[in-house]
Short mmCIF file of all heavy atoms in Angstrom, two decimals:
data_model
loop_
_atom_site.label_atom_id
_atom_site.label_comp_id
_atom_site.label_asym_id
_atom_site.label_seq_id
_atom_site.Cartn_x
_atom_site.Cartn_y
_atom_site.Cartn_z
N GLY A 610 -3.07 6.28 8.16
CA GLY A 610 -3.64 5.21 8.95
C GLY A 610 -5.12 5.38 9.19
O GLY A 610 -5.84 4.40 9.42
N MET A 611 -5.60 6.62 9.17
CA MET A 611 -7.02 6.90 9.35
C MET A 611 -7.77 6.96 8.02
O MET A 611 -9.00 7.01 8.00
CB MET A 611 -7.20 8.25 10.08
CG MET A 611 -6.61 8.29 11.47
SD MET A 611 -7.60 7.35 12.64
CE MET A 611 -6.78 7.76 14.19
N MET A 612 -7.03 6.97 6.92
CA MET A 612 -7.66 7.03 5.60
C MET A 612 -7.65 5.69 4.88
O MET A 612 -8.64 5.28 4.28
CB MET A 612 -6.99 8.09 4.73
CG MET A 612 -7.22 9.52 5.17
SD MET A 612 -6.57 10.76 4.01
CE MET A 612 -4.80 10.65 4.30
N GLY A 613 -6.51 5.00 4.91
CA GLY A 613 -6.32 3.82 4.07
C GLY A 613 -7.38 2.74 4.23
O GLY A 613 -8.09 2.39 3.28
N SER A 614 -7.48 2.17 5.43
CA SER A 614 -8.42 1.06 5.64
C SER A 614 -9.86 1.53 5.52
O SER A 614 -10.74 0.78 5.06
CB SER A 614 -8.19 0.42 7.00
OG SER A 614 -8.31 1.38 8.03
N ASN A 615 -10.15 2.78 5.89
CA ASN A 615 -11.52 3.29 5.79
C ASN A 615 -11.93 3.55 4.34
O ASN A 615 -13.04 3.20 3.93
CB ASN A 615 -11.65 4.57 6.61
CG ASN A 615 -11.56 4.31 8.10
OD1 ASN A 615 -12.02 3.29 8.59
ND2 ASN A 615 -10.93 5.22 8.82
N PHE A 616 -11.05 4.16 3.57
CA PHE A 616 -11.34 4.35 2.14
C PHE A 616 -11.56 3.00 1.47
O PHE A 616 -12.47 2.83 0.64
CB PHE A 616 -10.18 5.08 1.46
CG PHE A 616 -10.17 6.57 1.68
CD1 PHE A 616 -11.09 7.19 2.52
CD2 PHE A 616 -9.21 7.37 1.05
CE1 PHE A 616 -11.07 8.56 2.73
CE2 PHE A 616 -9.18 8.75 1.24
CZ PHE A 616 -10.11 9.34 2.09
N SER A 617 -10.70 2.03 1.79
CA SER A 617 -10.82 0.70 1.19
C SER A 617 -12.14 0.03 1.55
O SER A 617 -12.82 -0.53 0.69
CB SER A 617 -9.65 -0.18 1.65
OG SER A 617 -9.79 -1.50 1.20
N ALA A 618 -12.52 0.09 2.84
CA ALA A 618 -13.77 -0.53 3.27
C ALA A 618 -14.98 0.15 2.65
O ALA A 618 -15.95 -0.50 2.25
CB ALA A 618 -13.86 -0.49 4.80
N LEU A 619 -14.94 1.47 2.53
CA LEU A 619 -16.04 2.20 1.90
C LEU A 619 -16.20 1.81 0.43
O LEU A 619 -17.31 1.66 -0.07
CB LEU A 619 -15.81 3.71 2.01
CG LEU A 619 -16.05 4.32 3.40
CD1 LEU A 619 -15.44 5.71 3.49
CD2 LEU A 619 -17.55 4.36 3.70
N ALA A 620 -15.07 1.63 -0.25
CA ALA A 620 -15.12 1.25 -1.66
C ALA A 620 -15.59 -0.18 -1.85
O ALA A 620 -16.34 -0.49 -2.79
CB ALA A 620 -13.74 1.44 -2.31
N MET A 621 -15.18 -1.08 -0.96
CA MET A 621 -15.51 -2.50 -1.10
C MET A 621 -16.89 -2.85 -0.56
O MET A 621 -17.48 -3.86 -0.94
CB MET A 621 -14.45 -3.33 -0.37
CG MET A 621 -13.05 -3.25 -0.94
SD MET A 621 -12.85 -4.33 -2.37
CE MET A 621 -12.81 -5.94 -1.56
N GLU A 622 -17.41 -2.01 0.32
CA GLU A 622 -18.64 -2.32 1.04
C GLU A 622 -19.81 -2.77 0.16
O GLU A 622 -20.46 -3.78 0.46
CB GLU A 622 -19.04 -1.09 1.86
CG GLU A 622 -20.13 -1.33 2.87
CD GLU A 622 -20.37 -0.07 3.71
OE1 GLU A 622 -20.68 0.98 3.12
OE2 GLU A 622 -20.22 -0.16 4.93
N PRO A 623 -20.12 -2.09 -0.95
CA PRO A 623 -21.30 -2.50 -1.72
C PRO A 623 -21.04 -3.67 -2.68
O PRO A 623 -21.95 -4.06 -3.40
CB PRO A 623 -21.63 -1.24 -2.54
CG PRO A 623 -20.74 -0.16 -2.01
CD PRO A 623 -19.56 -0.83 -1.45
N LEU A 624 -19.82 -4.23 -2.70
CA LEU A 624 -19.42 -5.15 -3.76
C LEU A 624 -19.03 -6.53 -3.24
O LEU A 624 -18.14 -7.18 -3.78
CB LEU A 624 -18.27 -4.54 -4.57
CG LEU A 624 -18.54 -3.15 -5.17
CD1 LEU A 624 -17.26 -2.55 -5.74
CD2 LEU A 624 -19.61 -3.26 -6.26
N GLY A 625 -19.70 -6.98 -2.18
CA GLY A 625 -19.32 -8.25 -1.56
C GLY A 625 -19.44 -9.46 -2.46
O GLY A 625 -18.66 -10.40 -2.34
N LYS A 626 -20.37 -9.46 -3.41
CA LYS A 626 -20.57 -10.64 -4.27
C LYS A 626 -19.48 -10.79 -5.31
O LYS A 626 -19.34 -11.85 -5.92
CB LYS A 626 -21.94 -10.55 -4.95
CG LYS A 626 -23.11 -10.69 -3.97
CD LYS A 626 -24.45 -10.67 -4.70
CE LYS A 626 -25.61 -10.84 -3.72
NZ LYS A 626 -26.92 -10.82 -4.42
#
Side-chain angles (χ1 to χ4, degrees):
M611 298 287 187
M612 291 187 286
S614 57
N615 291 324
F616 281 4
S617 174
L619 285 165
M621 295 279 287
E622 191 175 59
L624 304 170
K626 293 183 179 180

